[in-house]
Amino acid sequence: MAVAYPQFFGTKKVDTSLMVSSSSSVSPVVLSQDELKKVAAYKAVEFVESGMVVGLGTGSTAKHAVDKIAELLHSGKLKNIVGIPTSKITHEQAVSLGIPLSDLNKHPIVDLAIDGADEVDPQMTLVKGRGGSLLREKMVESATKKFIVIVDESKLVNYIGGSGLAMPVEIVPFCWEFTLKRLEMLFIEAGCVGKLRTAGGSGGEEPYVTDNGNYIIDLYFKKDMGDLKDASDAILRLAGVVEHGMFIDMATTVIVAGKLGVSITNKL
C-alpha cells in the first residue's frame, strides 16, 4: 500500500520518517469514511503520554480519539490524564467515559490537543467550526504545545473555501443581519455569500446558538479569498464578530487517513 498524500503538503512540510505504509504486495482494504476517521484518530492517540493535559476536540473524528483515550485510561496504559474539552458535547462524552476534566483557568498550558478539521490546505491552514464549536476549539488549541489534526482524505482542499462548504464566523446575536452584510462585503470579489446558521439546518427557522450564546454566519466562497492573514484581520476588526473558523499557523501535525494509507505530516 502506497504512502498517502506526501505531495499534498509539499516536501518542506513532510517528515518522511513518520510516514505509515505497508507492503505493496498487500491488497488495499476499502474503508468507510467513518472507519478512516477512526484510523486517523487512533494514530493521533499514540502521541498521548501519561501525565499529559490533553485538549479534547469536538466532532465525528475527534469523538473516536476521546473514546480511545478513555479506553487506554481504563486499561491502565495511560495514567493521570487531564482533559480540556472544547465543547459541551465533548464535556458530556468525556464525563460519561470517566475522563478527568479541567479547564484553561487551572491548566493554561495544554500539552497536546487532538481535533478534526473541515478543510486542510497545503499550508496546513484549517477551517473548523462547522460543528459549531470554533471559539472554544481555538481557545484550547491556541494554548497547546502540540496540535494534532486528524482528517480523512475528503477534507484536503487546494485553498481555504475550496470545498464549497461553509467557513463559519461566530458573531453576537445583536443586529446579526448587519454583521452578515458587512462580512459579505469584505469578500465581494471572492463571490462571498453569507447565511445565518439555523438549528434545524437549511430547513430550520430558529438560529443555531453556540455554547457561548452566539450565532454563526456561514460564509461560502466562489473564489480564493486571498491572503488568509489579511482576511483574518479584516474579519476580526468588524464589531460584532467574536471569532472565525480559520486556524492559521496552529496545526503542528496533520494525520490523513485515506484509500492509499495513512500519512503523518509535521510542520517543520
Side-chain angles (χ1 to χ4, degrees):
M1 189 183 298
V3 173
Y5 321 114
Q7 73 285 357
F8 180 78
F9 296 104
T11 55
K12 290 184 179 179
K13 293 184 181 294
V14 176
D15 185 344
T16 56
S17 68
L18 290 175
M19 287 296 182
V20 181
S21 62
S22 59
S23 171
S24 59
S25 63
V26 179
S27 299
V29 177
V30 178
L31 300 177
S32 68
Q33 186 179 31
D34 190 62
E35 288 170 330
L36 291 173
K37 292 177 179 182
K38 186 177 290 187
V39 168
Y42 283 14
K43 192 66 188 175
V45 173
E46 293 180 13
F47 291 84
V48 179
E49 300 177 1
S50 294
M52 278 188 168
V53 177
V54 181
L56 305 177
T58 298
S60 57
T61 309
K63 180 179 183 297
H64 293 306
V66 177
D67 286 339
K68 188 64 175 179
I69 289 170
E71 177 187 319
L72 294 174
L73 273 172
H74 293 313
S75 70
K77 294 180 180 179
L78 283 178
K79 298 179 180 179
N80 302 319
I81 294 295
V82 175
I84 310 291
T86 56
S87 66
K88 289 181 179 179
I89 192 168
T90 299
H91 183 279
E92 292 170 359
Q93 178 194 5
V95 168
S96 71
L97 295 171
I99 299 176
L101 298 179
S102 188
D103 57 34
L104 293 175
N105 291 328
K106 295 179 180 177
H107 294 88
I109 298 176
V110 180
D111 294 304
L112 173 73
I114 301 173
D115 206 351
D118 302 308
E119 291 185 357
V120 183
D121 78 0
Q123 287 70 47
M124 295 171 65
T125 300
L126 320 173
V127 168
K128 292 177 52 56
R130 290 181 189 152
S133 302
L134 62 102
L135 176 58
R136 297 191 186 192
E137 288 173 334
K138 189 170 283 190
M139 289 179 68
V140 173
E141 288 149 12
S142 64
T144 189
K145 298 176 184 176
K146 186 176 183 67
F147 177 23
I148 301 179
V149 179
I150 47 177
V151 295
D152 66 87
E153 60 187 324
S154 70
K155 302 303 193 298
L156 303 181
V157 296
N158 290 325
Y159 62 90
I160 291 301
S163 68
L165 300 176
M167 196 284 282
V169 180
E170 186 162 343
I171 67 168
V172 298
F174 176 72
C175 293
W176 66 264
E177 291 174 285
F178 170 75
T179 306
L180 185 156
K181 291 175 182 176
R182 295 189 76 192
L183 286 167
E184 288 181 328
M185 290 302 296
L186 283 179
F187 304 106
I188 191 169
E189 293 183 359
C192 177
V193 175
K195 296 182 180 179
L196 177 70
R197 187 177 299 187
T198 54
S202 59
E205 295 182 0
E206 293 299 317
Y208 173 87
V209 179
T210 71
D211 287 347
N212 317 296
N214 297 316
Y215 290 174
I216 288 181
I217 300 297
D218 287 321
L219 300 181
Y220 299 86
F221 299 90
K222 294 182 179 179
K223 301 177 183 177
D224 189 332
M225 72 178 79
D227 185 279
L228 297 181
K229 291 184 178 179
D230 288 346
S232 170
D233 290 343
I235 292 171
L236 294 175
R237 280 198 298 265
L238 292 181
V241 167
V242 178
E243 189 53 85
H244 59 70
M246 290 186 290
F247 285 49
I248 303 170
D249 294 332
M250 290 181 60
T252 57
T253 300
V254 176
I255 299 178
V256 182
K259 296 175 183 177
L260 298 178
V262 178
S263 70
I264 303 175
T265 304
N266 282 342
K267 193 166 188 177
L268 303 178

